[in-house]
Amino acid sequence: MNMSKINQLKRKLYFLLKKIEIECRSFNAQINPSPIFVLGNQKSGTSVIAALLATATGLTVSIDLSKEWLNKRKGYILVKEGQWSFSQLIDRNRLDFSRDIVKEANLTLFFDELVQYFPKSQFVFIVRDPRTNIRSLLNRIGIPGNLKSLKNWPDKPYIPLGWEKVINGSWLGLDGDNYISMLAQRWNLMTDVYLKNKDHMVLIRYEDFIKDKIGEISKAAICLKLNPQHDISSKINVQYQQKGNSKIDAKSFFGNANLLKIATICKHNMDVLGYCQQREDL
């Protein structure tokens, strides 16, 4: 048996054992009636900020909904299509919803349902400049940013667990003329959730967090009426997700045409959220 098949078997065994573990731990899990939700677009810093907020305040945290991650995030689509109720999604993931802080970018798309199900919850929204956000997202999947389309790159591109539904937003009603337009519209969709509900959310700009990680976490904790009593200085540089390539600037990564698409589509929300479109050092 060659190494490729051995690695495939190891991967399948890992996922099988993980599913069994989650099922066992979920059996007696009780849903927290008022968790703190950390929302925002994928690759905007939600994981690291949720983890550090939990460490600083001594609270428990879920980084993504494990069952949805293991099942290619199909649950979100089934809820959108009306095949599942939102309550079914919650109950199915009750282990992750039993914790004090729940971070899951896809739940941003269900903000109204979250408010209805968890009326006493608090919300944190993480935003990142769409140019660096989309670049980091594409880095994660291994797709260049300067293509006209993904139809011929490569013939059968491998996109990891559930990420194809991030790239293709048609299930959300998005209709971009290429994958960059679709991702720009997705950024708008996510940030619209904040702009429409900003009085009920604590905002953290990823760029401000990078400049002062401890300060931004402390500020957010206080806004949430939490006590940031634990030292997080040894944790602030831990990588919770695969890091994007920030060494290549946005213009080189996207090319003029695709960069213009982002700037045009996202212009209004970028302006409102304080992102200067003229920056060349992204």
Side-chain angles (χ1 to χ4, degrees), residues 39 55 76 107 118 161-162 169 175 181 205 214 258-259:
L39 308 177
T55 301
Y76 307 114
L107 287 177
F118 300 98
L161 279 176
D175 60 353
S181 295
R205 291 185 2 136
I214 294 175
N258 280 348
L259 187 59

Side-chain angles (χ1 to χ4, degrees), residues 186-219:
R186 184 185 178 87
W187 186 86
N188 273 349
L189 184 66
M190 295 293 205
T191 52
D192 278 345
V193 171
Y194 168 72
L195 294 175
K196 291 175 183 176
N197 301 282
K198 59 184 179 181
D199 292 340
H200 307 288
M201 290 184 166
V202 174
L203 178 68
I204 300 179
R205 291 185 2 136
Y206 180 75
E207 294 78 10
D208 297 331
F209 166 73
I210 290 298
K211 291 177 182 176
D212 182 10
K213 294 179 181 180
I214 294 175
E216 286 298 308
I217 293 297
S218 295
K219 189 190 304 182

Side-chain angles (χ1 to χ4, degrees), residues 5 55 87 169 254 271:
K5 288 185 177 180
T55 301
S87 296
F254 291 109
D271 289 345

Side-chain angles (χ1 to χ4, degrees), residues 52-109:
L52 289 175
L53 182 62
T55 301
T57 57
L59 298 180
T60 57
V61 62
S62 293
I63 304 294
D64 299 330
L65 303 187
S66 303
K67 281 193 175 181
E68 302 315 311
W69 175 72
L70 289 168
N71 290 280
K72 300 184 179 181
R73 301 179 174 90
K74 292 179 181 177
Y76 307 114
I77 299 168
L78 292 173
V79 174
K80 280 293 183 184
E81 291 177 345
Q83 296 184 50
W84 283 5
S85 68
F86 189 68
S87 296
Q88 283 178 284
L89 180 72
I90 300 294
D91 186 63
R92 167 182 162 85
N93 293 279
R94 59 187 178 277
L95 175 62
D96 289 313
F97 282 106
S98 70
R99 307 213 170 93
D100 302 314
I101 299 174
V102 179
K103 171 265 164 180
E104 172 53 74
N106 287 293
L107 287 177
T108 311
L109 304 167

